[in-house]
């Protein structure tokens, strides 16, 4: 709550400050607030970076927000982060946590590089 009040008073917010708040919400199990803030960030014209995408995917997985996760997946592909192994692993995890093992497997099968985390996700 206090962090959000400070964030709301910031005169100039950038991808780092937005990402920090989204990550905070995601880490504390408040996926809905993370998604709400992610939408507001984009409405203000701020493009998410890799760290923000990772956090918002975790938030989607934690609350079963598969539709939002699919939309974010599309943004990830357009932004060029789709080939990143960490992002790919997080997508695999998000789809699995949302109950779509088929989509999880599809992402896994298209990962250009797989690591130990990929196989465990």
């Amino acid at each position: 709550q206090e962090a959000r009040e400070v964030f709301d008073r910031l005169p100039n917010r950038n991808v780092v400050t937005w990402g920090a708040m989204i990550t905070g919400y995601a880490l504390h199990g408040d996926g809905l607030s993370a998604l709400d803030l992610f939408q507001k960030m984009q409405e203000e014209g701020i493009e998410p970076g890799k760290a923000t995408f990772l956090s918002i995917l975790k938030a989607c997985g934690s609350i079963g927000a598969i539709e939002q996760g699919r939309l974010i997946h599309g943004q990830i592909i357009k932004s060029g982060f789709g080939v990143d192994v960490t992002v790919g692993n997080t997508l695999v995890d998000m789809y699995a946590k949302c109950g779509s093992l088929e989509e999880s497997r599809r992402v896994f099968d298209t990962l250009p590089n797989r690591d130990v985390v990929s196989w465990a996700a």
Side-chain angles (χ1 to χ4, degrees):
Q1 182 71 15
E2 192 175 326
R4 179 61 188 261
E5 290 171 9
V6 171
F7 174 81
D8 287 339
R9 288 193 308 264
L10 288 174
N12 298 311
R13 295 177 285 212
N14 60 27
V15 68
V16 175
T17 54
W18 283 96
M21 280 303 305
I22 291 167
T23 298
Y25 281 131
L27 288 175
H28 288 91
D30 193 352
L32 289 175
S33 292
L35 281 167
D36 180 58
L37 203 59
F38 184 76
Q39 181 179 346
K40 289 178 181 171
M41 178 184 83
Q42 294 184 303
E43 288 170 0
E44 290 199 16
I46 306 293
E47 291 293 322
K50 177 181 168 181
T52 306
F53 279 130
L54 293 172
S55 293
I56 201 64
L57 288 172
K58 288 178 184 176
C60 289
S62 73
I63 61 172
I66 195 164
E67 291 304 321
Q68 291 90 337
R70 287 177 181 137
L71 293 171
I72 292 163
H73 186 178
Q75 289 180 269
I76 287 168
I77 292 168
K78 289 177 186 172
S79 70
F81 289 112
V83 296
D84 182 276
V85 68
T86 308
V87 173
N89 291 340
T90 307
L91 282 163
V92 168
D93 184 63
M94 184 273 298
Y95 281 122
K97 285 181 177 171
C98 288
S100 180
L101 297 180
E102 183 178 314
E103 286 174 282
S104 179
R105 179 60 191 258
R106 191 175 315 126
V107 171
F108 176 82
D109 287 344
T110 61
L111 288 176
N113 298 303
R114 296 183 189 121
D115 61 10
V116 173
V117 176
S118 307
W119 289 96

